[in-house]
Amino acid sequence: MKRNTWQREAVREALGEREGFVSAQSLHSALRDAGSSIGLATVYRALADLAVEGEADSLQQEGESLYRACTPGSHHHHLICRNCGLTVEIEADEVEEWARSVAASHGFTQPNHIVDVFGLCADCSR
């Protein structure tokens, strides 16, 4: 586990205040606008560490990593609007069973997976 510095705590707090996914650049801008002296590279490192430790979800969209605060230790999946970025956590018991079954059929144990479903939300579909 990484040492908890003021910079890391500032990133964790700022991420928790955001709705949906956000880029490192956007979070950095918000921190700087609020008067923080934190550097962009530090924001990138803190976000990556938070994702590895399960305190943030991350996904790739158009070649960019986006992050969102999440509850540590909770495995979940997302529906994500390609247009506005609305994100909804979903249960996916069928996906869980499928992953275990496919892994077992090939002799694998302890399978992990990431499933994010991209589409258009109801508002953007109108």
Side-chain angles (χ1 to χ4, degrees):
M1 180 151 184
K2 296 274 186 178
R3 192 166 57 99
N4 200 26
T5 64
W6 73 265
Q7 295 98 330
R8 185 179 165 89
E9 189 56 38
V11 170
R12 180 185 288 114
E13 186 176 313
L15 189 62
E17 294 170 356
R18 301 296 178 286
E19 290 289 323
F21 285 86
V22 63
S23 69
Q25 295 91 339
S26 176
L27 197 62
H28 176 253
S29 291
L31 284 162
R32 298 292 289 208
D33 289 349
S36 176
S37 62
I38 194 166
L40 180 58
T42 302
V43 172
Y44 271 107
R45 277 192 304 276
L47 287 171
D49 290 343
L50 291 172
V52 166
E53 293 168 7
E55 292 188 54
D57 291 323
S58 68
L59 61 89
Q60 293 288 314
Q61 192 170 35
E62 298 177 13
E64 181 175 33
S65 293
L66 302 177
Y67 299 89
R68 182 181 86 130
C70 71
T71 306
S74 69
H75 180 75
H76 51 269
H77 305 281
H78 305 105
L79 291 172
I80 304 164
C81 181
R82 287 189 309 258
N83 189 51
C84 72
L86 174 68
T87 304
V88 178
E89 287 188 10
I90 58 171
E91 294 290 325
D93 294 336
E94 297 87 359
V95 171
E96 304 303 324
E97 182 53 40
W98 172 81
R100 284 190 294 274
S101 175
V102 168
S105 72
H106 292 279
F108 282 68
T109 62
Q110 302 177 11
N112 291 321
H113 60 275
I114 298 169
V115 175
D116 292 319
V117 179
F118 294 87
L120 293 176
C121 71
D123 288 342
C124 292
S125 292
R126 287 189 197 120

